[in-house]
Amino acid sequence: DQQVKQNSPSLSVQEGRISILNCDYTNSMFDYFLWYKKYPAEGPTFLISISSIKDKNEDGRFTVFLNKSAKHLSLHIVPSQPGDSAVYFCAASRGDNYGQNFVFGPGTRLSVLP
Amino acid sequence: EAGVAQSPRYKIIEKRQSVAFWCNPISGHATLYWYQQILGQGPKLLIQFQNNGVVDDSQLPKDRFSAERLKGVDSTLKIQPAKLEDSAVYLCASSPWGREGDSPLHFGNGTRLTVT
């Protein structure tokens, strides 16, 4: 049972254009959502997050949108740069008394073409 | 701030052999996670520690995998005996405790295990 889905295994965009990565989740108990970027031979690096009480969060070129009713979030990168080429993982979390339990999607490979 | 440290970076073993991975989390982080990432998939949680206690090990194959976090700091993950399907990257991550504000996971660079 895949609770976090990223239905596009790969995405190619031209440098300077917008990249939109999508993520869907099934568990309505998730209340904290994150995006991670991963380069080859490195661990995932935290990029941006959003709490379920918000519908948008921005950090520089990166914006995450959350649509709770659709159980959908997206990451927008504007403008896209060649250094953004990486695998992007969507993750969702629900908290309990012992901390957070993170579930990851399968990832989308973004290629930004010069 | 020093990041999450993992060793070794790479390990190649034959099936039925044993292997151990080590992790040192970010100083002060009470929660430690071990994830398994198979090629082409997202990280899958194996075990979560809160200080030196296990919070969630529901997806840990306990017949062959074991993990411990002595003194609530460093952790080791062991596989004995290894199977071919254990070939993956093993990622350690840490996070500050609890729900006092959501906080992201911080990952190490992982250990790439190849079982032949």
Side-chain angles (χ1 to χ4, degrees), chain A residues 83-102:
Chain A
D84 297 328
S85 297
V87 178
Y88 288 77
F89 292 101
C90 171
S93 165
R94 56 177 173 79
D96 56 30
N97 291 333
Y98 303 101
Q100 296 157 283
N101 183 320
F102 295 87

Side-chain angles (χ1 to χ4, degrees), chain B residues 93-115:
Chain B
S94 70
S95 177
W97 179 78
R99 299 291 281 172
E100 299 98 4
D102 294 315
S103 52
L105 291 180
H106 299 267
F107 283 92
N109 282 329
T111 297
R112 179 176 295 279
L113 174 67
T114 302
V115 182

Side-chain angles (χ1 to χ4, degrees), chain B residues 15 28 34 55 66 98 115:
Chain B
K15 58 184 179 183
W34 282 102
V55 171
S66 65
V115 182

Side-chain angles (χ1 to χ4, degrees), chain A residues 7-107:
Chain A
N7 292 322
S8 298
S10 63
L11 174 69
S12 293
V13 298
Q14 212 66 36
E15 181 179 4
R17 299 289 185 100
I18 184 171
S19 295
I20 300 177
L21 295 93
N22 293 303
C23 176
D24 298 289
Y25 61 96
T26 58
N27 190 339
S28 57
M29 298 297 291
F30 289 141
D31 59 3
Y32 180 51
F33 304 89
L34 312 89
W35 285 94
Y36 282 81
K37 178 170 71 173
K38 186 181 184 304
Y39 293 121
E42 294 183 11
T45 302
F46 170 69
L47 198 55
I48 192 169
S49 64
I50 188 167
S51 167
S52 60
I53 62 173
K54 296 185 177 180
D55 54 20
K56 178 182 174 181
N57 188 27
E58 284 182 86
D59 184 0
R61 297 186 296 114
F62 303 92
T63 303
V64 55
F65 296 91
L66 175 63
N67 182 334
K68 288 192 295 292
S69 60
K71 294 191 179 70
H72 177 83
L73 64 155
S74 60
L75 174 68
H76 293 209
I77 307 174
V78 182
S80 301
Q81 299 173 354
D84 297 328
S85 297
V87 178
Y88 288 77
F89 292 101
C90 171
S93 165
R94 56 177 173 79
D96 56 30
N97 291 333
Y98 303 101
Q100 296 157 283
N101 183 320
F102 295 87
V103 180
F104 285 80

